[in-house]
Amino acid sequence: MTLTVKGLTGGYSSQPVLKDIDFNIQSSEIVGLIGLNGAGKSTIIKHIIGLMRPMKGEISIDGHQLTDDADVYRQAFTYIPEMPVLYETLTLREHIELTGMAYGLSKEEALKNAQPLLENFRLDKRLDWLPIYFSKGMKQKVMIVCAFLVDTSLYVIDEPFLGLDPMAIHDFIDLLKAKREDGASVLMTTHVLATAEQYCDRFLFLADGELVAAGTLDEIRQQYQMPKATLDDLYLRLAKGADDHASA
């Protein structure tokens, strides 16, 4: 088991946003975290990557908790944020080298690992460019390259498709599938549901800080008694349920 979230309650103040969240992600599994804006998806991610501390509950990756050994915990995952975060004074090459250093790789190892990714995302001729010269989509590709140049147990990804062209989306999905075949786990938020339906193994449905459904597409169809539903249909049902809960 790669990621275990048990009894997670947390938020930004004394009033919790997340309420007793339980789920796990196995090795070789891609899991989609689905919910409306404000449902708590980003809050869950911030707790997993250590930017927020739980009020109650536990989070572990490969059996390690952040409070046990922060370095071991952090090296067990990589993270791609919704908005690219780059250092304006560092070139693409230097971003790759810096990422490698954080995971104990030499500059040479980091660049070697990054080379096929650079070629796939057509960045191999841009190694000495500064971020100011990159479009938003290119910046997102830089984040993808930096995240996937290291082999970790878990990849945490927040809305990865924003700014990517169709070819880059195709290449990114192939990369996710390859990591899954290598035994890694992926937790990803996305609103591109028709695409997620095709490659996610399971889904977690979040509403108002509570986990309201979890399982394969067929299992969630059964829960909502919608045997022919697409993921889009189920999302709309989730949204209606959230609206009913808010107005109650």
Side-chain angles (χ1 to χ4, degrees), residues 118-129:
L118 292 167
E119 293 173 0
N120 282 350
F121 290 102
R122 293 158 289 282
L123 291 172
D124 49 313
K125 307 293 194 234
R126 309 285 193 268
L127 275 169
D128 296 314
W129 283 29

Side-chain angles (χ1 to χ4, degrees), residues 1-180:
M1 191 175 298
T2 300
L3 172 66
T4 301
V5 176
K6 185 176 181 181
L8 175 61
T9 297
Y12 301 90
S13 64
S14 57
Q15 185 68 28
V17 173
L18 306 176
K19 303 148 191 171
D20 200 26
I21 301 291
D22 282 294
F23 67 87
N24 60 69
I25 301 178
Q26 307 285 344
S27 299
S28 301
E29 190 173 41
I30 301 175
V31 175
L33 182 58
I34 308 299
L36 300 175
N37 292 335
K41 303 186 300 297
S42 293
T43 308
I44 285 181
I45 286 178
K46 287 177 181 177
H47 279 84
I48 292 171
I49 66 175
L51 292 182
M52 298 179 69
R53 296 296 178 95
M55 296 174 182
K56 291 193 301 183
E58 298 178 353
I59 301 170
S60 63
I61 302 176
D62 293 339
H64 301 287
Q65 296 186 38
L66 183 66
T67 51
D68 295 334
D69 191 324
D71 289 338
V72 170
Y73 182 91
R74 290 192 175 105
Q75 289 190 352
F77 71 88
T78 59
Y79 168 57
I80 302 177
E82 179 178 356
M83 296 298 294
V85 180
L86 300 175
Y87 297 98
E88 293 300 322
T89 58
L90 297 184
T91 64
L92 171 54
R93 183 191 308 275
E94 290 167 332
H95 276 90
I96 291 169
E97 293 172 346
L98 183 63
T99 301
M101 288 173 57
Y103 289 87
L105 300 179
S106 67
K107 292 180 180 180
E108 293 75 19
E109 288 173 320
L111 288 167
K112 180 181 178 181
N113 290 356
Q115 187 58 36
L117 298 166
L118 292 167
E119 293 173 0
N120 282 350
F121 290 102
R122 293 158 289 282
L123 291 172
D124 49 313
K125 307 293 194 234
R126 309 285 193 268
L127 275 169
D128 296 314
W129 283 29
L130 291 167
I132 192 174
Y133 299 112
F134 290 135
S135 66
K136 184 183 184 301
M138 293 173 75
K139 289 179 180 178
Q140 187 71 359
K141 292 176 185 179
V142 172
M143 298 298 295
I144 292 170
V145 169
C146 288
F148 284 93
L149 69 88
V150 293
D151 291 323
T152 60
S153 297
L154 175 67
Y155 296 86
V156 181
I157 308 169
D158 196 359
E159 295 290 349
F161 301 126
L162 297 178
L164 294 184
D165 57 71
M167 182 171 289
I169 291 174
H170 178 272
D171 291 339
F172 178 69
I173 292 172
D174 282 347
L175 181 58
L176 291 180
K177 291 177 179 177
K179 290 296 184 182
R180 175 173 60 187

